[in-house]
Amino acid sequence: MTVQTDAPLPLKAITSYHAHIYFDPGDARARAERLRTLIGERFVARLGSWHDKPVGPHLKPMYQVAFAVDLFPRFVPWLMLNRMGLSILVHPNTRRPHDDHLVNALWLGEKLPLKGDMLPAEVAEDTVEELPPPNTAPTLQP
Ligand code: ZN
């Protein structure tokens, strides 16, 4: 089977997005906590666990925010304005985890290194991360 590598990927390849919000232990954690509260008040998203130690390809403490494709045009600009000096990785979720994180991602603030060798080039369609149910109940308009 020939794999066509020059064909553009369709937008429907993206099933959801993650924003990984990184922080240094210490005073930056308080800013990360504040940002998490603000997000939960304003956006229907899934706020992931706190990782105070490096996990997976991530080399700094962080937490993940998983969000739907249609939230991108409101949530990402809001993060641009309100990231509180923190580094944020925004990446799509497709069948290509390595490219999602290292080639097709965008960074707000300082770009940080990732352990790319932990990320598979391609995964089966049924293992692409589905959007988890949101655990926020926004009460404010962004
Ligand atoms: Zn992620």
Side-chain angles (χ1 to χ4, degrees):
M1 191 178 86
T2 306
V3 178
Q4 207 170 1
T5 55
D6 58 346
L9 286 170
L11 278 176
K12 69 176 195 268
I14 302 174
T15 57
S16 65
Y17 290 95
H18 288 170
H20 292 272
I21 297 172
Y22 296 89
F23 56 92
D24 289 310
D27 67 327
R29 198 184 198 281
R31 280 183 279 139
E33 287 171 9
R34 173 79 179 133
L35 181 55
R36 187 180 172 97
T37 299
L38 295 176
I39 292 167
E41 289 171 342
R42 287 162 178 77
F43 297 98
V44 179
R46 178 80 188 184
L47 300 176
S49 305
W50 287 91
H51 294 284
D52 286 296
K53 296 226 162 29
V55 62
H58 308 282
L59 296 169
K60 269 180 76 164
M62 61 90 201
Y63 60 85
Q64 175 203 84
V65 182
F67 59 99
V69 167
D70 62 3
L71 194 60
F72 187 101
R74 287 193 304 128
F75 183 45
V76 175
W78 186 90
L79 283 176
M80 289 174 173
L81 299 177
N82 295 290
R83 66 184 176 82
M84 299 186 183
L86 302 170
S87 287
I88 302 178
L89 165 67
V90 179
H91 72 80
N93 289 310
T94 74
R95 291 180 58 188
R96 301 179 181 187
H98 183 275
D99 285 0
D100 291 346
H101 290 76
L102 294 169
V103 181
N104 300 328
L106 65 85
W107 284 88
L108 307 180
E110 185 190 355
K111 183 177 180 178
L112 302 173
L114 295 170
K115 275 198 263 183
D117 57 358
M118 302 199 63
L119 296 162
E122 189 156 353
V123 296
E125 194 157 359
D126 59 1
T127 62
V128 175
E129 183 174 312
E130 295 295 325
L131 186 65
N135 61 358
T136 60
T139 55
L140 298 174
Q141 287 297 313

